[in-house]
């Protein structure tokens, strides 16, 4: 016997990936509901070799459904996730709404799978921000070995992290650059994204950082260890899919770059590609459609006592959202629900 699973936001970037990944990983689905807004009622979505028609989330009854994978943004989640949870369906949510609630587990299965066991208090499990998810997969095995004191991270985040309108904006602005009179002004982003980079993701906070940067700090502490200090600069770049991060890590004790490479080679969810030659590293276009978080450019940082630099790339729609959500569902199934 398997599960009755609802994918909420099935017409979106993350929702479509969740459908693909449920099918690819042969998650034990007995019945599947694809839900979106009334606007998309009847839209066809692929689920493996089948096609499912979307239903209206607003009138859907979650009673008798086991798991709902949500990817619809915080405002709509605030209305519908409590309804699903109240009906006894476990919500796995991609928005940032519940991530910082102490009664709601925030889970990356390679890092803190045991946190899933605390799902029952609110019947909701939160999925982290895309930039955090890939970073903590790399940090955790190193933290277990040499205790991380401080992380300095700069991100290079693709437009798919903003949603489908942002993908269109990059595409249309890029095309418009070549046709006089057809330039496309910024609409999703505050400045032109084509052939440009924007050092601003999510809203500004009082201290001058952005909410995206704050999320990386707060979520790393909640998932890995509250004692780790993190400072982040998050930048949007004209890449369709795949987030990249330059990460500088300061450890409590010395750890050699070769040992870091060996630890990461053995770590779950990671592939090390690290040849010190042209092309001997992974770039975002190469990680699209993959499950792994790729680590390259591992090297000692000799400007601090126990420092390591590395480059981390992953498909933000997969490990950063849909894959992690399905992995949480698998973990929940294995550890708690025990069907399938
Ligand atoms: N993209 C990423 O890398 C990433 C990573 C981590 C987390 N997330 C989070 O995942 C969520 C979805 O992101 P996305 O990139 O997939 O966005 P998206 O491509 O813009 O898709 C949004 C989805 O939400 C649905 N939706 C919006 N408002 C709704 C409402 N009131 N009722 C029902 N359905 C509604 C849309 O349905 P219609 O088509 O009917 O409008 C669509 O299916 C967001 O919370 C985002 O922050 C995204």
């Amino acid at each position: 016997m398997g599960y009755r699973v609802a994918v909420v936001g099935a017409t979106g970037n993350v929702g479509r990936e969740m459908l693909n990944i449920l099918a690819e990983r042969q998650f034990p689905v007995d019945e599947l509901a694809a839900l979106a807004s009334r606007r998309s009622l009847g839209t066809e979505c692929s689920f493996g070799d089948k096609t499912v028609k979307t239903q209206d989330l607003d009138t859907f009854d979650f009673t008798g459904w086991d798991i709902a994978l949500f990817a619809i943004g915080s405002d709509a989640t605030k209305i519908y996730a409590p309804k699903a949870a109240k009906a006894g369906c476990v919500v796995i949510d991609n928005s940032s709404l519940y991530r910082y609630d102490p009664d709601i587990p925030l889970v990356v299965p390679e890092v803190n799978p045991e946190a899933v066991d605390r799902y029952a208090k609110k019947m909701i499990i939160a999925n982290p921000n895309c930039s955090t998810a890939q970073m903590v997969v790399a940090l955790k095995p190193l933290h277990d070995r040499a205790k991380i004191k401080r992380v300095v991270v700069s991100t290079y985040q693709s437009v798919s992290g903003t949603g489908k309108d942002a993908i269109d904006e990059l595409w249309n602005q890029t095309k418009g650059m070549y046709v006089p009179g057809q330039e496309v002004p910024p609409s999703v982003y505050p400045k032109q994204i084509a052939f440009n980079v924007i050092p601003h993701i999510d809203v500004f906070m009082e201290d001058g950082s952005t909410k995206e940067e704050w999320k990386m700090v707060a979520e790393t502490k909640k998932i890995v260890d509250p004692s780790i200090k993190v400072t982040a600069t998050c930048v949007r770049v004209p890449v369709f899919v795949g987030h990249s991060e330059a990460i500088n890590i300061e450890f409590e004790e010395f750890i050699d770059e070769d040992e870091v490479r060996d630890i990461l080679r053995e770590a779950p969810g990671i592939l090390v590609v690290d040849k010190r030659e042209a092309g001997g590293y992974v770039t975002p276009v190469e990680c699209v459609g993959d499950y792994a978080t790729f680590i390259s450019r591992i090297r000692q940082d000799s400007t601090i006592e126990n420092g390591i630099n590395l480059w981390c790339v992953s498909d933000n729609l997969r490990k950063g959202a849909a894959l992690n959500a399905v992995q949480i569902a698998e973990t929940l199934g294995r550890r708690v629900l025990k069907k399938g």
Side-chain angles (χ1 to χ4, degrees):
M1 201 170 75
Y3 299 94
R4 297 181 79 204
V5 179
V7 172
V8 184
T11 52
N13 287 322
V14 176
R16 284 180 192 278
E17 279 300 333
M18 292 198 295
L19 289 167
N20 289 337
I21 292 170
L22 285 168
E24 276 168 28
R25 294 172 74 92
Q26 300 182 326
F27 188 83
V29 176
D30 273 359
E31 193 180 346
L32 182 103
L35 308 175
S37 76
R38 197 160 298 156
R39 295 181 289 275
S40 344
L41 186 67
T43 302
E44 295 195 334
C45 298
S46 302
F47 174 53
D49 52 12
K50 297 191 197 84
T51 301
V52 281
K53 286 198 171 164
T54 54
Q55 304 176 51
D56 179 8
L57 170 64
D58 196 44
T59 53
F60 187 77
D61 181 1
F62 285 93
T63 310
W65 290 79
D66 298 298
I67 298 172
L69 300 168
F70 268 66
I72 56 172
S74 294
D75 291 346
T77 302
K78 196 184 259 176
I79 301 168
Y80 298 104
K83 282 190 183 171
K86 201 167 169 215
C89 176
V90 185
V91 171
I92 299 171
D93 179 35
N94 277 286
S95 81
S96 58
L97 186 65
Y98 297 112
R99 289 179 193 153
Y100 318 108
D101 181 331
D103 291 331
I104 291 181
L106 178 65
V107 179
V108 174
E110 293 89 343
V111 178
N112 62 339
E114 67 292 338
V116 159
D117 303 354
R118 295 190 292 103
Y119 81 101
K121 191 150 187 186
K122 296 219 169 145
M123 295 292 279
I124 298 172
I125 301 171
N127 211 21
N129 180 263
C130 35
S131 317
T132 311
Q134 69 185 69
M135 183 171 80
V136 297
V137 168
L139 295 185
K140 170 72 171 145
L142 302 176
H143 186 58
D144 287 347
R145 157 65 182 83
K147 201 153 192 320
I148 295 172
K149 270 167 67 174
R150 179 169 184 255
V151 174
V152 183
V153 56
S154 299
T155 70
Y156 308 76
Q157 298 181 219
S158 68
V159 296
S160 58
T162 315
K164 51 191 178 187
D165 293 346
I167 295 179
D168 292 344
E169 182 150 310
L170 172 58
W171 178 242
N172 292 330
Q173 274 182 1
T174 306
K175 280 191 306 182
M177 302 289 277
Y178 294 100
V179 189
Q182 292 201 8
E183 295 82 5
V184 176
S187 148
V188 174
Y189 295 114
K191 298 204 181 209
Q192 175 187 314
I193 184 64
F195 306 102
N196 202 8
V197 297
I198 305 175
H200 165 201
I201 300 180
D202 210 330
V203 295
F204 274 89
M205 313 280 288
E206 249 177 40
D207 67 356
S209 64
T210 63
K211 187 85 186 279
E212 185 82 353
E213 290 156 359
W214 177 86
K215 285 174 190 168
M216 291 193 78
V217 177
E219 294 177 21
T220 302
K221 285 177 181 290
K222 183 165 175 179
I223 298 166
V224 187
D225 186 336
S227 73
I228 298 179
K229 291 181 183 160
V230 179
T231 180
T233 302
C234 293
V235 180
R236 190 70 68 193
V237 297
V239 167
F240 284 108
V241 179
H243 286 0
S244 308
E245 297 174 343
I247 309 177
N248 176 267
I249 312 168
E250 186 178 356
F251 295 91
E252 290 215 333
E253 55 186 274
F254 180 78
I255 181 164
D256 174 77
E257 61 189 23
D258 291 331
E259 189 181 354
V260 168
R261 207 170 286 110
D262 288 345
I263 289 171
L264 293 176
R265 277 209 177 97
E266 296 298 316
I270 286 181
L271 275 176
V272 175
V273 177
D274 192 18
K275 290 190 193 144
R276 292 176 170 181
E277 61 189 37
Y281 41 79
V282 174
T283 59
V285 291
E286 295 157 290
C287 75
V288 177
D290 230 301
Y291 288 158
T293 293
F294 293 90
I295 305 291
S296 309
R297 304 286 325 277
I298 299 166
R299 63 209 189 276
Q300 222 80 45
D301 171 11
S302 55
T303 65
I304 50 174
E305 213 174 333
N306 303 314
I308 287 286
N309 282 310
L310 50 85
W311 174 248
C312 172
V313 178
S314 197
D315 181 330
N316 54 294
L317 297 175
R318 291 202 153 211
K319 187 57 198 167
L323 171 63
N324 200 69
V326 174
Q327 286 176 303
I328 292 175
E330 290 168 349
T331 309
L332 182 74
R334 226 177 12 253
R335 293 180 69 93
V336 187
L337 304 180
K338 300 194 167 127
K339 282 195 202 174

